[in-house]
Amino acid sequence: MKINASTLSLTVDDVAASHAFFTKHLGYSEEVAAEGFAKLTRDDDAVDIVLLQRGIEILPPEQRDQRAAGLILAFTISGIEAEEQRLRSEGVAISMPLREEPWGEKLFQVTDPNGVVVQLVEWA
């Protein structure tokens, strides 16, 4: 098997709110969208994101009422301090403040309007 791309599908209550968060603050752009659905992408190595409206009928019945929960979408970046300041200046609430772990990892977290946790990481 050869994987050509990676996509994370998130079921959320408000597709428009997550769409706005990822495009405004995290540099994603819309590739395609329809009622209850949006596919977001970036021009770098980030995973593509599909946002699905909770309850949408394209999902199997047992998945329709689930929400994105219990996961952390992590991105490895450079210049983490500047990114934290940029996001703060844009009014994004930092849900876990910037810290450095003993093993050299610097990280902080933000949370989108639907509760999707995004962790930004820089390795020393």
Side-chain angles (χ1 to χ4, degrees):
M1 171 175 64
K2 178 183 180 298
I3 296 174
N4 297 315
S6 295
T7 304
L8 177 66
S9 182
L10 302 170
T11 305
V12 297
D13 287 327
D14 186 345
V15 169
S18 285
H19 181 291
F21 182 85
F22 280 93
T23 56
K24 179 177 180 181
H25 302 297
L26 298 179
Y28 276 85
S29 61
E30 179 183 294
E31 185 172 303
V32 65
E35 181 69 30
F37 166 86
K39 182 174 184 213
L40 308 178
T41 190
R42 287 180 48 107
D43 291 334
D44 56 15
D45 291 331
V47 65
D48 290 344
I49 296 173
V50 167
L51 301 168
L52 295 172
Q53 179 73 43
R54 188 173 62 84
I56 196 166
E57 291 186 9
I58 64 168
L59 290 172
E62 66 275 9
Q63 295 177 13
R64 289 181 190 156
D65 288 324
Q66 295 179 0
R67 291 182 181 92
L71 67 91
I72 297 172
L73 176 56
F75 296 115
T76 302
I77 64 169
S78 299
I80 196 163
E81 291 90 355
E83 288 301 317
E84 187 212 22
Q85 289 304 313
R86 178 186 65 80
L87 290 167
R88 280 187 190 277
S89 73
E90 292 176 0
V92 175
I94 306 299
S95 48
M96 185 179 80
L98 180 63
R99 67 184 195 209
E100 185 170 355
E101 301 294 353
W103 51 87
E105 176 186 25
K106 292 181 183 179
L107 67 148
F108 72 94
Q109 293 178 349
V110 297
T111 304
D112 97 327
N114 284 293
V116 176
V117 177
V118 178
Q119 181 168 291
L120 300 176
V121 177
E122 183 174 36
W123 293 94

